[in-house]
Amino acid sequence: MTRKVTTRKSTEERRAEAEALHETIAEQIEALRDSETWTRFLAFAQAFHRYSLGNLLLIFAQSPEATHVAGYRTWQSLNRQVRKGERGIRIFGGRDIRETVENEQTGEEEEQRRVRFFPVSVFDMSQTDLIDPEAGDPSNIAHQLTGDDPAGILDAVVDYLTGTGWTVERESIPGAANGYTTTDDSRRVVIDADLSPAQAAKTALHEAAHVILHADEDHAEYVEHRGIKETEAESVAYIVAGILGLDTSAYSVGYVAGWSKCDADTVKATAANVLRTAHALADAITTDSPAPVAA
């Protein structure tokens, strides 16, 4: 029997609440933008290179749960040390070189500049530890949820996903990632085995949103626009969890802020996709509570 969350809210009530929750997360992100927490995170985020699409595809293929990727020395400058024995993510680095060549038309020697590409290793933040914990962690703007999942959201999402042909697995995931959805043909959703029940429920909603919204998209499209995709998935999770009585704002607001660059307009621009998906997911995992019988 498929497990579902029992609710007394009508479809119309759920839709109205979804719209209100979407507006709320945009408002909370606007408030975060003026805080010292965001200022510190922004300085942290600006230390990372903008990788080419080719390198992004290489990173995602080797480490689909990667969030922030940098070289060994860059991590040290950010108060983080790559752990001994960690295997690097191989991408291509470029370096400008100058060489003297003969101009075929004039026969004169000219200096020419070109870019030489070579393989380098980078590491995800999950492969590092803080060097000085007392200095704080500027990347920490999404706080893990604690507590239970009294409504049974996780079970309902698992049954929904398996019913649509996906496999849901609980595995230990190193580092900060709570889960991921595969983008090949394996149709797997992985949720970290060490999460609290509340965090696992929220993560399941997030991954289910990826399945609905992004599983059939071109892989390169997903990777190139990952900020928008993550903003959409977490917004769906926040909305559906809120409808079912689980407040995920301690985690979701910081997560959406990070991927949307704290731009409330980006969040608002995703409203059509997010609300459509939130409605579909909420309808799929809930069942109406029978009306009370009069005495």
Side-chain angles (χ1 to χ4, degrees):
M1 181 177 177
T2 302
R3 294 166 292 185
K4 292 194 175 186
V5 178
T6 301
T7 178
R8 291 184 178 178
K9 296 176 182 176
S10 68
T11 300
E12 291 74 20
E13 288 172 331
R14 291 201 301 267
R15 276 155 172 68
E17 192 170 356
E19 292 182 10
L21 285 165
H22 192 264
E23 292 177 4
T24 297
I25 197 169
E27 292 168 358
Q28 291 183 78
I29 285 172
E30 286 179 334
L32 177 64
R33 189 166 51 200
D34 297 326
S35 71
E36 181 183 350
T37 298
W38 177 251
T39 301
R40 293 178 67 229
F41 176 80
L42 188 61
F44 167 80
Q46 287 173 338
F48 297 92
H49 294 295
R50 288 181 60 88
Y51 290 107
S52 67
L53 177 58
N55 275 336
L56 289 174
L57 289 169
L58 285 172
I59 291 167
F60 201 79
Q62 296 169 75
S63 182
E65 69 277 11
T67 56
H68 293 89
V69 172
Y72 189 92
R73 299 297 181 192
T74 299
W75 278 124
Q76 289 181 322
S77 72
L78 293 171
N79 188 35
R80 301 193 77 95
Q81 179 64 50
V82 176
R83 288 188 294 272
K84 185 177 181 180
E86 289 287 350
R87 184 176 180 179
I89 301 168
R90 300 292 280 176
I91 64 172
F92 286 101
R95 179 183 296 131
D96 283 342
I97 62 170
R98 295 179 182 275
E99 57 187 2
T100 301
V101 296
E102 181 179 310
N103 187 309
E104 294 181 356
Q105 295 180 341
T106 65
E108 297 179 357
E109 290 189 341
E110 297 178 349
E111 189 177 72
Q112 187 179 79
R113 190 179 74 173
R114 63 186 179 88
V115 179
R116 175 177 291 171
F117 292 96
F118 52 91
V120 297
S121 289
V122 292
F123 301 87
D124 182 52
M125 188 167 67
S126 64
Q127 299 173 284
T128 70
D129 296 312
L130 283 172
I131 296 173
D132 179 9
E134 293 185 2
D137 185 358
S139 70
N140 187 22
I141 58 172
H143 302 285
Q144 292 280 326
L145 304 177
T146 59
D148 296 325
D149 172 23
I153 295 171
L154 175 62
D155 289 340
V157 175
V158 168
D159 285 359
Y160 162 70
L161 289 172
T162 55
T164 57
W166 285 75
T167 300
V168 182
E169 300 170 357
R170 298 295 300 271
E171 299 177 0
S172 291
I173 303 174
N178 295 318
Y180 60 89
T181 298
T182 59
T183 57
D184 53 21
D185 294 329
S186 61
R187 296 174 68 85
R188 293 172 60 239
V189 166
V190 180
I191 299 172
D192 188 13
D194 300 323
L195 301 179
S196 71
Q199 184 71 38
K202 186 227 66 74
T203 300
L205 291 169
H206 177 104
E207 302 306 332
H210 275 313
V211 168
I212 296 170
L213 279 165
H214 310 131
D216 294 329
E217 288 185 346
D218 177 74
H219 179 59
E221 168 75 11
Y222 171 80
V223 172
E224 186 174 14
H225 301 288
R226 192 177 177 193
I228 295 295
K229 311 304 181 183
E230 294 297 332
T231 295
E232 290 177 337
E234 189 64 21
S235 297
V236 170
Y238 170 79
I239 290 169
V240 177
I243 290 172
L244 301 179
L246 177 62
D247 181 4
T248 71
S249 56
Y251 184 88
S252 296
V253 172
Y255 189 94
V256 172
W259 283 105
S260 69
K261 300 181 180 177
C262 217
D263 184 1
D265 288 339
T266 297
V267 178
K268 293 173 184 176
T270 67
N273 277 348
V274 166
L275 291 174
R276 183 180 67 253
T277 305
H279 298 329
L281 184 54
D283 290 347
I285 66 172
T286 57
T287 186
D288 294 336
S289 173
V293 178

